[in-house]
């Protein structure tokens, strides 16, 4: 007859094996579905997918965070955000990752792309002394039409992942006054015209950050998936600063 201690050990082994079988996601790459294996990669992806990530480390344009010479910032008449930092170069692999997430319903990729925003967040502080400013996170809103098509706002999901990892509160500060077509298909001048007046303040959640502004300096991190010319970030920052005396810092996944 088995002793109580032996039975306990046997049950523990059975439970452990059952948990392993019931939790395959912990060992599967969220991008390609392959086995992740063991290692030090903190993202839920395999080593092959991780090595495809074109991280941005060296910044050429201090304003927009571009890794090559920037044609846009010198031409912009007014810039309402302090600076932007991006995580990755928007190459073909990253376009495919974002397409899986945004257009093919693979929402689990929020657990990959969202944590990657930590890289851009740290780039904002690289080589600079930490300020005593209060920090908040917000995000670029979707139109009602786009939200109905997609079922979620990728910028909001990524912002909430960043907030979860940093402990910084996430707040909705903007809504879209009107729907716009996809900006990636438009010329620079058309983007600037199209974005004018497209956002309005969301006053329903403004109280906590307004109180923080009265107490001292506030850094607001504005999250979006892709930074192209900066017209979306600039218009969002302009709208926010009509109601709040904050410094707006862009945090974009791709550049």
């Amino acid at each position: 007859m088995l002793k109580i201690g032996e039975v306990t050990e046997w049950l523990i082994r059975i439970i452990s094996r059952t948990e392993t079988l019931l939790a395959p996601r912990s060992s599967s790459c969220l991008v390609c579905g392959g086995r992740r294996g063991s290692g030090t990669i903190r993202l839920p992806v395999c080593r092959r997918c991780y090595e495809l990530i074109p991280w941005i480390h060296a910044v050429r344009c201090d304003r927009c965070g571009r890794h090559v010479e920037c044609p846009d910032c010198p031409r912009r008449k007014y810039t309402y955000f302090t600076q932007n930092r991006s995580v990755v170069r928007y190459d073909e692999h990253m376009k495919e990752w974002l397409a899986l997430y945004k257009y093919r319903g693979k929402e689990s990729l929020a657990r990959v792309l969202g944590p990657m925003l930590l890289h851009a967040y740290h780039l904002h502080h690289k080589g600079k002394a930490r300020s005593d400013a209060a920090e908040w996170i917000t995000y670029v809103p979707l139109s009602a039409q786009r939200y109905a098509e997609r079922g979620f706002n990728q910028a909001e999901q990524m912002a909430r992942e960043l907030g979860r990892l940093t402990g910084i509160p996430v707040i909705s500060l903007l809504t879209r006054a009107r729907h716009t077509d996809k900006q990636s298909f438009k010329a620079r001048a058309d983007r600037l015209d199209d974005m004018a007046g497209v956002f309005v303040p969301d006053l329903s959640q403004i109280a906590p950050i307004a109180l923080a502004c009265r107490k001292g300096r506030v850094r607001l991190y504005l999250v979006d998936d892709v930074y192209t010319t900066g017209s979306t970030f600039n218009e969002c920052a302009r709208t926010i600063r009509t109601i709040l005396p904050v410094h707006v810092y862009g945090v974009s996944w791709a550049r």
Side-chain angles (χ1 to χ4, degrees), residues 68-181:
V68 294
E69 187 175 350
C70 176
D72 297 313
C73 290
R75 298 161 60 187
R76 182 175 288 114
K77 190 174 182 181
Y78 299 107
T79 302
Y80 297 96
F81 60 90
T82 301
Q83 64 182 28
N84 170 74
R85 292 294 180 265
S86 302
V87 180
V88 298
R89 303 189 306 276
Y90 200 34
D91 66 8
E92 292 305 314
H93 294 296
M94 297 301 99
K95 288 178 182 179
E96 178 62 20
W97 286 23
L98 192 60
L100 285 172
Y101 178 30
K102 288 174 65 173
Y103 308 124
R104 301 178 202 167
K106 198 167 185 176
E107 286 189 63
S108 60
L109 284 180
R111 291 163 45 206
V112 178
L113 276 59
M116 289 173 69
L117 293 182
L118 275 173
H119 180 71
Y121 172 78
H122 291 311
L123 284 178
H124 276 300
H125 301 280
K126 187 176 181 180
K128 300 175 182 177
R130 299 289 298 191
S131 86
D132 58 355
E135 296 183 319
W136 292 75
I137 297 172
T138 192
Y139 48 87
V140 176
L142 286 182
S143 66
Q145 178 179 330
R146 191 74 71 214
Y147 193 92
E149 292 172 358
R150 195 169 298 157
F152 65 95
N153 180 355
Q154 73 283 352
E156 179 180 1
Q157 288 187 346
M158 294 164 70
R160 296 202 181 280
E161 281 291 316
L162 181 61
R164 178 181 66 83
L165 293 169
T166 59
I168 300 173
V170 181
I171 191 170
S172 171
L173 287 177
L174 297 169
T175 60
R176 284 196 181 240
R178 55 184 171 82
H179 176 72
T180 56
D181 293 329

